[in-house]
């Protein structure tokens, strides 16, 4: 491993660990620390190997770190544990169903809308030709959608997530330039 790749690998590992702690309900500070470390790792990777491979390496190292934490936290099934007998399943309440539908709408179409607005900003503001900007936006859209959905699922209250998502999407739409797309 080259010497200039040590710092971004470590930052990617720290970003994965912080995201794991945020997912385990340890607080919003871990989510912010994860985003900060992930962005710092991305910038260091881009500086070390260029923008194309830098983004790939940054996302890959963070994903591998997350998989390593998931594998570490998985508990193996013990042989002496009895198989539980199925009990009587109760029907979910209306509040539980509505909460699940609200989460699905929040991380589905609402998160997609924010990712789409961010990609339209990329089409307008990236310093490249029109074709390169559109290709970048198309390839970035699912990554941004997944990142926004992950951040929303790490938040404990869906109301706060919905308000933040609406504000970010509205601000993004308001800041889009008017006129035809390039």
């Amino acid at each position: 491993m080259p010497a200039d790749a040590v710092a971004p690998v470590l930052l990617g590992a720290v970003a994965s660990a912080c995201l794991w702690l945020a997912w385990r309900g340890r607080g919003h500070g871990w989510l912010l620390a994860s985003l900060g470390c992930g962005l710092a790792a991305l910038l260091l990777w881009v500086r070390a190997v260029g923008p194309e491979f830098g983004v790939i390496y940054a996302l890959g190292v963070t994903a591998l770190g997350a998989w390593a934490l998931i594998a570490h936290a998985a508990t193996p099934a013990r042989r002496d544990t009895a198989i539980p007998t199925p009990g009587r399943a109760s029907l979910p309440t209306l509040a539980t169903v509505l909460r699940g539908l609200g989460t699905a709408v929040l991380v589905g179409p609402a998160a997609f809308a924010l990712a789409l607005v961010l990609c339209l900003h990329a089409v307008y503001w990236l310093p490249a030709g029109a074709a390169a900007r559109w290709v970048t936006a198309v390839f970035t859209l699912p990554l941004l959608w997944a990142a926004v959905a992950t951040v929303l699922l790490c938040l404990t209250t869906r109301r706060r997530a919905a308000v933040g998502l609406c504000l970010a999407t509205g601000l993004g739409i308001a800041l889009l330039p008017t006129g035809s797309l390039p």
Side-chain angles (χ1 to χ4, degrees):
M1 178 180 343
D4 56 349
V6 173
V9 166
L10 291 176
L11 280 171
V14 169
S16 297
C18 291
L19 184 62
W20 176 261
L21 290 171
W23 181 70
R24 301 286 290 182
R26 305 270 195 235
H28 300 298
W30 291 110
L31 180 61
L32 295 175
S34 173
L35 291 173
C37 289
L39 287 175
L42 174 66
L43 292 175
L44 289 175
W45 275 118
V46 166
R47 187 166 185 220
V49 295
E52 296 88 4
F53 288 107
V55 171
I56 293 169
Y57 290 160
L59 293 174
V61 166
T62 306
L64 287 175
W67 278 107
L69 286 171
I70 290 170
H72 174 68
T75 56
R78 296 186 325 198
R79 302 253 182 224
D80 61 344
T81 305
I83 297 174
T85 59
R88 193 163 214 177
S90 63
L91 292 175
T93 64
L94 181 62
T96 305
V97 171
L98 290 177
R99 191 176 305 119
L101 286 174
T103 300
V105 168
L106 192 66
V107 299
F112 180 79
L114 177 61
L116 184 65
V117 167
L118 292 173
C119 286
L120 287 175
H121 276 284
V123 169
Y124 275 111
W125 303 113
L126 280 179
R133 292 184 292 196
W134 277 105
V135 168
T136 302
V138 167
F139 280 112
T140 307
L141 181 63
L143 296 173
L144 284 174
W145 188 9
V148 170
T150 301
V151 168
L152 291 174
L153 289 173
C154 285
L155 297 175
T156 55
T157 59
R158 297 294 181 246
R159 181 174 294 137
R160 183 181 300 162
V163 169
L165 186 65
C166 289
L167 288 175
T169 305
L171 181 65
I173 290 171
L175 294 177
L176 275 174
T178 56
S180 64
L181 289 170

